């Protein structure tokens, strides 16, 4: 068993005929993922990179046994695309689309919760388990199969750190890019139990950012329930209060959500906190040695 | 994030049936005189500067006038005044009322719980940050349900109102909830919600609208009171752009990497000034636009830090080389480029053939940037 995706994952790409949908269908296939279907209403019967396109997710599921959806449809239509996937029986939806209004995300999150569908994202790189499957857009080149789990709110910074882990000769079990929006379907606290239960993960790298309290909550969870070593990095130490730093979520408001508060919470929970992203790989190697896993 | 001036927020409240004073917005002393002469607003009046910063009462941005002459003096003094970095261009004139009690009411997003959170307090009129925690009632509102009757009773409990205000509260709470949801608001805040002659009246309005919902709210797209001119251009080009205090320009892709870049620069004594996030693009023209925008901000030195994922390094390199030919000589700046990831070698070749050195180590690059800035400053900015 692995975290979220594995060799049994059968991906349907919603919005497969769009530019991003097509580009990443190719990349997911190159990663070794079974991309079994695409959905674009009105384009059923077409093929994209050898993948059959259907008019609805229900059709795609019925004909191909798809069980994970990766959603690229534009923001105004993302909510309905997610509801369609959920109603068709999909239980894991990776939403890559950015700029989804948070009010729509609230609807999606609570609808998914009622129906039992987990959301990764939105505005996220998605999930990848090297050697098994990828549902999302993380570049293939950064991976190498291994036993380090990665969970992150960032995009490119995640790629940078995952790549760094590879460069010191280690590899990853599963990498989850949660997305940095104000409302995310899966938070650190939701993702950490998956790694705790995963026998293929020895250590988790947590990449956080300023804004919100997700890292503080993660620290609380780690302190109480998490038995594996954690190495963390928090971006935005030098960010000023009141300025939104790219992600809608990355803002220090009223003194809350600072890097200092997150770092100290994680340290108190027993995590090793890196000062800079390039320090992460060496700290991972060190914690693994201490734990006797290398 | 579109912060609305008070009068725009009150206009929303009025549409949803939340009682507000009957005021008028004026932009000149002549307009103010007209408003009073025609009886649209009766003297004595309160004159409120339409700025976005808080603390207006203490800062002289809310004043009173009892006679037409006083009004002329107050309006002339306030129009054009500076308030916490904003220039006062609009004033809201409202009849002065005898305020009974002042209450607090707001709805905003609780990110952790992933539900909207209503906050109510019987002690309004001061900034919420200064209110004691035990004086705030927090009511999570399920987005599928809205406010249930028992939750409204809890709010009524902390307000301890008497009729007719107590009878008006339920409708007002529904209206505020509807405004929050239907206008795609990040925040709706009434502070103070006052009791005037026994009735509830929203004496102030703070409404923030979410940018991402502009596809269904084009009416807010025109409002851009709180952006610098360069931030405005960046917004049109869909480039995330933030102006800070320093002089070093940073162009990176992805918010997390950009923030990490700032952190590393700060560590080596660099002061980042303009922060520009390309996001995930594979369009060289967007990279060119970003560099031309950066040139306008007149940085001392620019640090390009790209990890190619969705964005390929060769795309960025092409856009960069194109931009360098278009930047006027007067706006030229030293450049340190660090590229990693997808098509890294190709990107490096393109840059090097244009005479730009591309590094791969983040730490070394940051040190090079800080060094380049020192040299430029030592050389008198040449």
């Amino acid at each position: 068993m692995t975290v979220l995706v594995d060799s049994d994952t059968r991906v349907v790409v919603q919005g497969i005929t769009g530019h991003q949908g097509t580009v990443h269908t190719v990349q997911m296939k190159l990663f070794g993922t079974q991309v079994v279907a695409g959905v674009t209403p009105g384009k059923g019967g077409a093929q994209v990179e050898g993948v059959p396109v259907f008019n609805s997710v229900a059709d795609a599921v019925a004909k191909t046994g798809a069980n994970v959806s990766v959603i690229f449809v534009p923001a105004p239509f993302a909510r309905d695309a997610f509801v369609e996937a959920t109603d068709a029986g999909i239980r894991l939806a990776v939403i890559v689309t950015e700029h989804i209004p948070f009010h729509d995300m609230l609807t999606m999150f609570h609808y998914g919760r009622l129906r039992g569908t987990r959301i990764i994202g939105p505005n996220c790189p998605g999930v990848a388990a090297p050697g098994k499957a990828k549902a999302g857009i993380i570049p293939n080149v950064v991976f190498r199969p291994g036993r380090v789990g990665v969970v992150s709110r960032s995009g490119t910074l995640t790629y940078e750190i995952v790549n760094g882990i590879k460069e010191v000769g280690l590899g990853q079990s599963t990498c989850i890019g949660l997305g940095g929006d104000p409302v995310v379907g899966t938070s650190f606290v939701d993702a950490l139990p998956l790694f705790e239960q995963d026998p293929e993960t020895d250590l988790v790298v947590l990449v956080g950012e300023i804004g919100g309290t997700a890292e503080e909550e993660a620290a609380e969870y780690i302190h109480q329930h998490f038995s594996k070593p954690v190495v963390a990095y928090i971006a935005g130490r030098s960010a000023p209060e009141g300025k939104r730093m790219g992600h809608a979520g990355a803002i220090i408001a009223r003194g809350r959500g600072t890097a200092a508060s997150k770092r100290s919470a994680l340290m108190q929970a027993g995590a090793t906190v890196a000062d800079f992203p390039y320090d992460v790989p060496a700290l991972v190697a060190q914690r693994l040695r201490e734990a006797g896993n290398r | 994030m579109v912060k609305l001036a008070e009068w725009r927020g009150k206009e929303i409240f009025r549409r949803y049936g939340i009682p507000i004073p009957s005021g008028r917005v004026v932009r000149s002393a002549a307009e103010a005189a007209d408003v009073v002469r025609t009886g649209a607003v009766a003297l004595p009046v309160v004159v409120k500067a339409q700025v976005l910063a808080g603390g207006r009462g203490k800062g002289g941005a809310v004043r009173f006038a009892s006679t037409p002459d006083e009004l002329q003096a107050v309006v002339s003094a306030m129009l054009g005044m500076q308030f916490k970095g904003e220039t006062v261009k609009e004033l809201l004139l409202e009849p002065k009322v005898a305020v009974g009690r002042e209450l607090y009411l707001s709805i905003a997003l609780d990110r952790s719980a992933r539900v909207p959170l209503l906050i109510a307090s019987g002690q309004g009129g001061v900034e919420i940050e200064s209110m004691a925690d035990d004086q705030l009632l927090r009511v999570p509102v399920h987005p599928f349900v809205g406010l249930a009757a028992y939750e409204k009773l809890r709010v009524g409990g902390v307000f301890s109102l008497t009729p007719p205000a107590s009878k008006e509260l339920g409708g007002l709470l529904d209206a505020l909830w509807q405004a929050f949801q239907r206008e795609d608001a990040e925040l709706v805040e009434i502070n103070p919600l006052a009791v005037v002659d026994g009735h509830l009246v929203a004496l102030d309005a703070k409404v923030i609208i979410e940018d991402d919902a502009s596809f269904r709210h084009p009416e807010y797209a025109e409002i851009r009171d709180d952006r610098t001119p360069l931030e405005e251009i960046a917004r049109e080009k869909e480039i995330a752009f933030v102006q800070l205090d320093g002089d070093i320009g940073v162009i990176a892709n992805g918010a997390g990497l950009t923030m990490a870049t700032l952190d590393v620069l700060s560590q080596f004594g660099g002061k980042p000034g303009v922060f520009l996030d390309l996001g995930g693009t594979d369009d060289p023209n967007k990279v060119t636009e970003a560099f031309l925008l950066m040139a306008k901000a007149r940085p001392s030195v620019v640090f390009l830090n790209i990890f190619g994922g969705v964005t390929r390094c060769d795309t960025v390199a092409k856009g960069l080389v194109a931009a360098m030919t278009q930047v006027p000589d007067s706006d030229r700046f030293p450049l340190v480029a660090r590229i990693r990831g997808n098509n890294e070698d190709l990107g490096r070749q393109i840059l090097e053939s244009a005479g730009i050195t591309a590094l791969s180590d983040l730490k070394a690059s940051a040190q090079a940037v800080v060094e380049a800035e020192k040299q430029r400053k030592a050389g008198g900015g040449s």
Side-chain angles (χ1 to χ4, degrees), chain B residues 250-330:
Chain B
V250 173
I251 301 181
N253 60 332
L257 185 62
T258 313
M259 282 190 280
T261 308
L262 300 190
D263 292 347
V264 176
L265 275 177
S266 302
Q267 169 70 12
F268 294 110
K271 282 196 81 175
V274 169
F275 158 122
L276 209 155
D277 174 5
L278 286 175
T281 182
D282 46 10
D283 177 6
N285 289 327
K286 191 168 168 186
V287 180
T288 305
E289 298 276 11
F291 266 89
L292 295 176
L293 189 64
M294 179 58 88
K296 287 192 185 129
R298 311 296 296 264
S300 59
V301 46
V302 170
F303 183 17
L304 174 76
N305 185 15
I306 298 295
F307 196 97
V310 178
T311 308
R312 299 193 325 263
C313 291
D314 55 320
T315 303
V316 174
K318 276 181 208 149
L320 170 56
V321 171
M324 289 322 240
T325 61
Q326 292 175 42
V327 175
D329 278 350
S330 57

Side-chain angles (χ1 to χ4, degrees), chain A residues 201-261:
Chain A
T201 299
D202 292 335
L203 173 150
V204 168
V205 172
L206 185 151
V207 184
E209 294 177 354
I210 55 163
T213 52
E215 291 80 4
E216 285 87 339
E217 286 146 25
E220 177 103 29
Y221 178 85
I222 290 165
H223 178 66
Q224 290 180 358
H225 305 289
F226 204 68
S227 65
K228 302 178 183 183
V230 175
V231 174
Y233 169 70
I234 307 293
R237 273 207 295 182
S238 52
E241 181 161 347
K243 281 279 186 187
R244 188 167 286 197
M245 308 297 281
H247 280 168
I251 183 169
I252 300 173
R254 298 166 180 171
R256 286 181 72 219
T258 63
S261 132

Side-chain angles (χ1 to χ4, degrees), chain A:
Chain A
M1 193 210 95
T2 51
V3 176
L4 297 173
V5 294
D6 58 23
S7 328
D8 296 329
T9 295
R10 297 172 71 79
V11 167
V12 51
V13 176
Q14 289 182 260
I16 193 170
T17 51
H19 175 66
Q20 293 289 324
T22 303
V23 165
H24 291 291
T25 294
V26 174
Q27 292 300 315
M28 283 188 275
K29 286 178 75 175
L30 288 173
F31 195 86
T33 316
Q34 300 182 66
V35 182
V36 296
V39 170
T40 299
K43 297 202 177 160
Q47 296 250 327
V48 171
E49 303 292 337
V51 176
V53 180
F54 297 89
N55 283 320
S56 72
V57 182
D59 276 358
V61 169
K63 304 268 168 51
T64 68
N67 54 17
V68 171
S69 175
V70 182
I71 297 178
F72 289 96
V73 305
F77 316 107
R79 185 194 66 177
D80 288 6
F82 169 74
V83 169
E84 183 188 345
T86 302
D87 290 353
I90 296 287
R91 291 297 163 257
L92 175 63
V94 172
I95 304 176
V96 176
T97 308
E98 57 181 348
H99 297 305
I100 298 176
F102 81 81
H103 282 276
D104 285 0
M105 230 348 257
L106 284 175
T107 303
M108 291 151 76
F109 174 77
H110 289 284
Y111 190 74
R113 185 169 266 191
L114 283 173
R115 293 293 183 105
T117 298
R118 177 192 290 278
I119 298 172
I120 303 289
N123 188 15
C124 80
V127 188
K132 295 181 179 121
K134 179 175 93 167
I137 62 170
I138 310 178
N140 296 350
V141 294
V142 300
F143 289 105
R144 163 187 168 156
R147 302 188 58 84
V148 178
V150 178
V151 60
S152 170
R153 275 169 81 189
S154 298
T156 41
L157 179 59
T158 315
Y159 313 160
E160 176 100 43
I161 288 173
V162 171
N163 192 57
I165 292 168
K166 186 180 82 172
E167 286 183 341
V168 295
L170 294 167
Q172 310 85 18
S173 54
T174 301
C175 172
I176 311 176
L178 304 171
D181 275 14
V183 177
V184 289
T186 299
S187 64
F188 287 128
V189 168
D190 303 323
L192 285 168
L194 306 175
F195 286 109
E196 174 70 17
Q197 287 154 22
D198 176 28
E200 297 179 20
T201 299
D202 292 335
L203 173 150
V204 168
V205 172
L206 185 151
V207 184
E209 294 177 354
I210 55 163
T213 52
E215 291 80 4
E216 285 87 339
E217 286 146 25
E220 177 103 29
Y221 178 85
I222 290 165
H223 178 66
Q224 290 180 358
H225 305 289
F226 204 68
S227 65
K228 302 178 183 183
V230 175
V231 174
Y233 169 70
I234 307 293
R237 273 207 295 182
S238 52
E241 181 161 347
K243 281 279 186 187
R244 188 167 286 197
M245 308 297 281
H247 280 168
I251 183 169
I252 300 173
R254 298 166 180 171
R256 286 181 72 219
T258 63
S261 132
K262 295 171 189 305
R263 286 166 56 88
S264 93
L266 285 161
M267 281 183 221
Q268 277 169 30
T272 302
V273 181
D275 288 337
F276 299 103
Y278 42 71
D279 293 336
V280 169
L283 292 171
V284 168
Q286 187 189 331
R287 288 292 301 256
L288 284 175
R289 272 196 306 275
E290 286 165 12
N293 285 317
R294 276 199 79 196

